[in-house]
Amino acid sequence: MATLFIDGEAGTTGLQIRERLALMPQVQVLSIDPARRKDPEAKRELMAAADLVVLCLHDDAAIESVAMIDSLSGRKPRIVDASTAHRCHPDWVFGFPELAPGQREAVQKAERVANPGCYATGAIAILRPLVDAGLLPTDFAVCLPSVSGYSGGGRTMIEDYEAGKAPLFEAYALGLKHKHVPEIMRYSGLTTRPLFVPAVGNFRQGMLVQLPLHLDQLPGKPTAADLQAALTAHYAASHATGGWVSVEPATESGKLDALALNDTNKLEIRVFGNEEARQAVVIARLDNLGKGASGAAVQNIQLMLGL
């Protein structure tokens, strides 16, 4: 039986990881005594006893916990970090197994995996295949309007929405410095900084990440069907080996419910097009707490432990 310690299990992501792991009899989760929650030595003891440590912490705290693991003598646990701290670090494996050929195997072998951000997961999922296929130049000016449920905003935002103190819909990060932009660029292959415009809606979970395109501005002047074919080809192999990303046909209604994949680890991609206007929008749909956080972490845990 594999033993895990969740450093930060009381937070939103940590709680959901624990709930998902409770359904897996091959895993034993080690918990810290509440009375010793702020005792570094208690945490060090649990880290030393674990096969794998999951970090559900703010960036500074995650860096401190990694330093604590580095200081352990003898065998050290493997790590899945759900913070932003190590997502672009060259010594860490990016925990998006469907990213490209070989990524799943890289996660399986990794000692340290950085869980992707929620928005970044959706953005990279739609951008990387189009870049790899040569349909989207790496220096193309990309815009990514997106919306998430309020659970991705941390405790204060959750409390404000659930107390009825927050607006029904709110654009944010309008200083255009969102923390997910560096990982979007690094793992999509973009060299020009995308214009990422996130928003939060009055629903707990769910996410849509959109890529609007004027097709005649792309070098090859592709059709929406060409985009669909490239995305389908990119994810065919990973889907066949248990990947959670799928490419689906556009809905007949021309609508897309942001909440439809809640409480799953699925990510769906669709291409909506108007050939007469030569316009298309590629949309990734996921649960920001599923494939965007806890679900992805558990997927990486399963791969790393061979479960």
Side-chain angles (χ1 to χ4, degrees), residues 23-46:
L23 303 175
M24 298 166 55
Q26 316 98 310
V27 173
Q28 177 187 4
V29 178
L30 307 175
S31 290
I32 197 164
D33 182 343
R36 301 184 68 194
R37 186 170 57 86
K38 295 185 178 181
D39 180 353
E41 190 54 39
K43 187 160 75 168
R44 187 189 303 272
E45 290 170 5
L46 289 170

mmCIF file of all heavy atoms in Angstrom, residues 23-46:
data_model
loop_
_atom_site.group_PDB
_atom_site.id
_atom_site.type_symbol
_atom_site.label_atom_id
_atom_site.label_comp_id
_atom_site.label_asym_id
_atom_site.label_seq_id
_atom_site.Cartn_x
_atom_site.Cartn_y
_atom_site.Cartn_z
ATOM 1 N N LEU A 23 -11.441 6.820 -2.232
ATOM 2 C CA LEU A 23 -12.055 5.782 -3.066
ATOM 3 C C LEU A 23 -11.027 4.778 -3.594
ATOM 4 O O LEU A 23 -11.383 3.862 -4.326
ATOM 5 C CB LEU A 23 -12.782 6.444 -4.248
ATOM 6 C CG LEU A 23 -13.857 7.478 -3.880
ATOM 7 C CD1 LEU A 23 -14.403 8.138 -5.133
ATOM 8 C CD2 LEU A 23 -14.969 6.822 -3.081
ATOM 9 N N MET A 24 -9.761 4.967 -3.223
ATOM 10 C CA MET A 24 -8.680 4.121 -3.725
ATOM 11 C C MET A 24 -8.083 3.312 -2.572
ATOM 12 O O MET A 24 -7.300 3.834 -1.775
ATOM 13 C CB MET A 24 -7.603 4.987 -4.385
ATOM 14 C CG MET A 24 -8.118 5.762 -5.587
ATOM 15 S SD MET A 24 -6.972 7.075 -6.120
ATOM 16 C CE MET A 24 -5.474 6.136 -6.370
ATOM 17 N N PRO A 25 -8.435 2.035 -2.436
ATOM 18 C CA PRO A 25 -7.959 1.228 -1.307
ATOM 19 C C PRO A 25 -6.459 0.968 -1.325
ATOM 20 O O PRO A 25 -5.899 0.544 -0.312
ATOM 21 C CB PRO A 25 -8.750 -0.084 -1.454
ATOM 22 C CG PRO A 25 -9.146 -0.133 -2.894
ATOM 23 C CD PRO A 25 -9.361 1.280 -3.311
ATOM 24 N N GLN A 26 -5.788 1.244 -2.452
ATOM 25 C CA GLN A 26 -4.344 0.993 -2.526
ATOM 26 C C GLN A 26 -3.535 2.111 -1.882
ATOM 27 O O GLN A 26 -2.304 2.044 -1.840
ATOM 28 C CB GLN A 26 -3.894 0.869 -3.992
ATOM 29 C CG GLN A 26 -4.801 0.034 -4.876
ATOM 30 C CD GLN A 26 -5.750 0.925 -5.670
ATOM 31 O OE1 GLN A 26 -6.400 1.795 -5.112
ATOM 32 N NE2 GLN A 26 -5.815 0.691 -6.973
ATOM 33 N N VAL A 27 -4.215 3.158 -1.387
ATOM 34 C CA VAL A 27 -3.525 4.334 -0.869
ATOM 35 C C VAL A 27 -3.912 4.581 0.581
ATOM 36 O O VAL A 27 -5.090 4.531 0.938
ATOM 37 C CB VAL A 27 -3.872 5.579 -1.716
ATOM 38 C CG1 VAL A 27 -3.298 6.845 -1.085
ATOM 39 C CG2 VAL A 27 -3.353 5.419 -3.139
ATOM 40 N N GLN A 28 -2.911 4.846 1.411
ATOM 41 C CA GLN A 28 -3.151 5.261 2.790
ATOM 42 C C GLN A 28 -2.715 6.714 2.933
ATOM 43 O O GLN A 28 -1.563 7.052 2.643
ATOM 44 C CB GLN A 28 -2.363 4.389 3.767
ATOM 45 C CG GLN A 28 -2.530 4.825 5.225
ATOM 46 C CD GLN A 28 -1.618 4.072 6.171
ATOM 47 O OE1 GLN A 28 -0.795 3.271 5.745
ATOM 48 N NE2 GLN A 28 -1.750 4.342 7.460
ATOM 49 N N VAL A 29 -3.632 7.575 3.363
ATOM 50 C CA VAL A 29 -3.322 8.987 3.546
ATOM 51 C C VAL A 29 -2.921 9.236 4.993
ATOM 52 O O VAL A 29 -3.658 8.888 5.922
ATOM 53 C CB VAL A 29 -4.524 9.878 3.162
ATOM 54 C CG1 VAL A 29 -4.193 11.356 3.410
ATOM 55 C CG2 VAL A 29 -4.906 9.659 1.696
ATOM 56 N N LEU A 30 -1.766 9.808 5.183
ATOM 57 C CA LEU A 30 -1.271 10.153 6.521
ATOM 58 C C LEU A 30 -1.741 11.564 6.865
ATOM 59 O O LEU A 30 -1.579 12.480 6.069
ATOM 60 C CB LEU A 30 0.260 10.106 6.558
ATOM 61 C CG LEU A 30 0.911 8.811 6.053
ATOM 62 C CD1 LEU A 30 2.429 8.960 6.041
ATOM 63 C CD2 LEU A 30 0.492 7.628 6.917
ATOM 64 N N SER A 31 -2.303 11.741 8.038
ATOM 65 C CA SER A 31 -2.798 13.058 8.453
ATOM 66 C C SER A 31 -2.038 13.556 9.664
ATOM 67 O O SER A 31 -1.692 12.783 10.565
ATOM 68 C CB SER A 31 -4.296 12.996 8.775
ATOM 69 O OG SER A 31 -5.050 12.799 7.601
ATOM 70 N N ILE A 32 -1.829 14.847 9.695
ATOM 71 C CA ILE A 32 -1.123 15.464 10.806
ATOM 72 C C ILE A 32 -2.075 15.661 11.986
ATOM 73 O O ILE A 32 -3.265 15.944 11.796
ATOM 74 C CB ILE A 32 -0.492 16.805 10.366
ATOM 75 C CG1 ILE A 32 0.575 17.260 11.358
ATOM 76 C CG2 ILE A 32 -1.544 17.886 10.146
ATOM 77 C CD1 ILE A 32 1.497 18.345 10.813
ATOM 78 N N ASP A 33 -1.580 15.476 13.184
ATOM 79 C CA ASP A 33 -2.356 15.737 14.393
ATOM 80 C C ASP A 33 -2.719 17.223 14.408
ATOM 81 O O ASP A 33 -1.830 18.082 14.320
ATOM 82 C CB ASP A 33 -1.503 15.380 15.609
ATOM 83 C CG ASP A 33 -2.236 15.581 16.935
ATOM 84 O OD1 ASP A 33 -3.268 16.277 16.944
ATOM 85 O OD2 ASP A 33 -1.757 15.047 17.950
ATOM 86 N N PRO A 34 -4.027 17.561 14.489
ATOM 87 C CA PRO A 34 -4.410 18.981 14.482
ATOM 88 C C PRO A 34 -3.678 19.812 15.529
ATOM 89 O O PRO A 34 -3.382 20.987 15.298
ATOM 90 C CB PRO A 34 -5.919 18.925 14.765
ATOM 91 C CG PRO A 34 -6.350 17.588 14.278
ATOM 92 C CD PRO A 34 -5.200 16.676 14.538
ATOM 93 N N ALA A 35 -3.354 19.208 16.648
ATOM 94 C CA ALA A 35 -2.655 19.937 17.699
ATOM 95 C C ALA A 35 -1.214 20.258 17.315
ATOM 96 O O ALA A 35 -0.585 21.150 17.898
ATOM 97 C CB ALA A 35 -2.679 19.132 18.993
ATOM 98 N N ARG A 36 -0.687 19.532 16.313
ATOM 99 C CA ARG A 36 0.701 19.755 15.890
ATOM 100 C C ARG A 36 0.783 20.299 14.464
ATOM 101 O O ARG A 36 1.821 20.224 13.810
ATOM 102 C CB ARG A 36 1.487 18.443 15.986
ATOM 103 C CG ARG A 36 1.537 17.822 17.369
ATOM 104 C CD ARG A 36 2.414 16.582 17.358
ATOM 105 N NE ARG A 36 3.827 16.909 17.145
ATOM 106 C CZ ARG A 36 4.752 15.994 16.827
ATOM 107 N NH1 ARG A 36 4.404 14.725 16.692
ATOM 108 N NH2 ARG A 36 6.015 16.348 16.646
ATOM 109 N N ARG A 37 -0.325 20.878 14.018
ATOM 110 C CA ARG A 37 -0.413 21.313 12.616
ATOM 111 C C ARG A 37 0.673 22.319 12.239
ATOM 112 O O ARG A 37 1.140 22.344 11.112
ATOM 113 C CB ARG A 37 -1.804 21.905 12.351
ATOM 114 C CG ARG A 37 -2.079 22.262 10.900
ATOM 115 C CD ARG A 37 -3.537 22.604 10.693
ATOM 116 N NE ARG A 37 -3.965 23.701 11.557
ATOM 117 C CZ ARG A 37 -3.829 24.996 11.233
ATOM 118 N NH1 ARG A 37 -3.278 25.332 10.076
ATOM 119 N NH2 ARG A 37 -4.259 25.947 12.042
ATOM 120 N N LYS A 38 1.076 23.162 13.188
ATOM 121 C CA LYS A 38 2.095 24.179 12.901
ATOM 122 C C LYS A 38 3.488 23.781 13.405
ATOM 123 O O LYS A 38 4.393 24.606 13.444
ATOM 124 C CB LYS A 38 1.678 25.507 13.521
ATOM 125 C CG LYS A 38 0.402 26.083 12.909
ATOM 126 C CD LYS A 38 0.089 27.467 13.459
ATOM 127 C CE LYS A 38 -1.171 28.030 12.792
ATOM 128 N NZ LYS A 38 -1.478 29.404 13.295
ATOM 129 N N ASP A 39 3.639 22.511 13.736
ATOM 130 C CA ASP A 39 4.916 21.998 14.234
ATOM 131 C C ASP A 39 5.730 21.453 13.058
ATOM 132 O O ASP A 39 5.379 20.419 12.477
ATOM 133 C CB ASP A 39 4.645 20.900 15.262
ATOM 134 C CG ASP A 39 5.918 20.307 15.834
ATOM 135 O OD1 ASP A 39 7.011 20.644 15.351
ATOM 136 O OD2 ASP A 39 5.812 19.471 16.753
ATOM 137 N N PRO A 40 6.818 22.123 12.678
ATOM 138 C CA PRO A 40 7.608 21.653 11.533
ATOM 139 C C PRO A 40 8.114 20.226 11.698
ATOM 140 O O PRO A 40 8.186 19.474 10.722
ATOM 141 C CB PRO A 40 8.772 22.647 11.477
ATOM 142 C CG PRO A 40 8.277 23.869 12.181
ATOM 143 C CD PRO A 40 7.364 23.362 13.255
ATOM 144 N N GLU A 41 8.439 19.834 12.910
ATOM 145 C CA GLU A 41 8.968 18.494 13.120
ATOM 146 C C GLU A 41 7.899 17.429 12.870
ATOM 147 O O GLU A 41 8.197 16.349 12.338
ATOM 148 C CB GLU A 41 9.523 18.349 14.536
ATOM 149 C CG GLU A 41 10.304 17.067 14.772
ATOM 150 C CD GLU A 41 11.428 16.875 13.768
ATOM 151 O OE1 GLU A 41 12.103 17.864 13.412
ATOM 152 O OE2 GLU A 41 11.638 15.722 13.336
ATOM 153 N N ALA A 42 6.648 17.738 13.231
ATOM 154 C CA ALA A 42 5.552 16.806 12.959
ATOM 155 C C ALA A 42 5.377 16.620 11.457
ATOM 156 O O ALA A 42 5.155 15.496 10.972
ATOM 157 C CB ALA A 42 4.259 17.320 13.584
ATOM 158 N N LYS A 43 5.479 17.716 10.724
ATOM 159 C CA LYS A 43 5.358 17.623 9.267
ATOM 160 C C LYS A 43 6.536 16.866 8.663
ATOM 161 O O LYS A 43 6.358 16.030 7.767
ATOM 162 C CB LYS A 43 5.262 19.029 8.666
ATOM 163 C CG LYS A 43 4.958 19.028 7.182
ATOM 164 C CD LYS A 43 4.400 20.350 6.705
ATOM 165 C CE LYS A 43 5.441 21.414 6.594
ATOM 166 N NZ LYS A 43 4.917 22.613 5.855
ATOM 167 N N ARG A 44 7.715 17.111 9.181
ATOM 168 C CA ARG A 44 8.900 16.425 8.687
ATOM 169 C C ARG A 44 8.780 14.908 8.893
ATOM 170 O O ARG A 44 9.152 14.117 8.018
ATOM 171 C CB ARG A 44 10.140 16.964 9.414
ATOM 172 C CG ARG A 44 11.455 16.445 8.870
ATOM 173 C CD ARG A 44 12.618 16.853 9.796
ATOM 174 N NE ARG A 44 12.658 18.290 9.960
ATOM 175 C CZ ARG A 44 13.308 19.111 9.149
ATOM 176 N NH1 ARG A 44 13.960 18.616 8.115
ATOM 177 N NH2 ARG A 44 13.312 20.407 9.376
ATOM 178 N N GLU A 45 8.243 14.496 10.032
ATOM 179 C CA GLU A 45 8.072 13.062 10.322
ATOM 180 C C GLU A 45 7.139 12.402 9.317
ATOM 181 O O GLU A 45 7.393 11.284 8.850
ATOM 182 C CB GLU A 45 7.527 12.887 11.742
ATOM 183 C CG GLU A 45 8.521 13.243 12.843
ATOM 184 C CD GLU A 45 7.867 13.282 14.214
ATOM 185 O OE1 GLU A 45 6.674 12.931 14.316
ATOM 186 O OE2 GLU A 45 8.553 13.667 15.195
ATOM 187 N N LEU A 46 6.036 13.082 8.989
ATOM 188 C CA LEU A 46 5.092 12.526 8.036
ATOM 189 C C LEU A 46 5.674 12.479 6.625
ATOM 190 O O LEU A 46 5.464 11.515 5.885
ATOM 191 C CB LEU A 46 3.800 13.345 8.048
ATOM 192 C CG LEU A 46 2.948 13.190 9.312
ATOM 193 C CD1 LEU A 46 1.825 14.216 9.343
ATOM 194 C CD2 LEU A 46 2.371 11.778 9.402
#
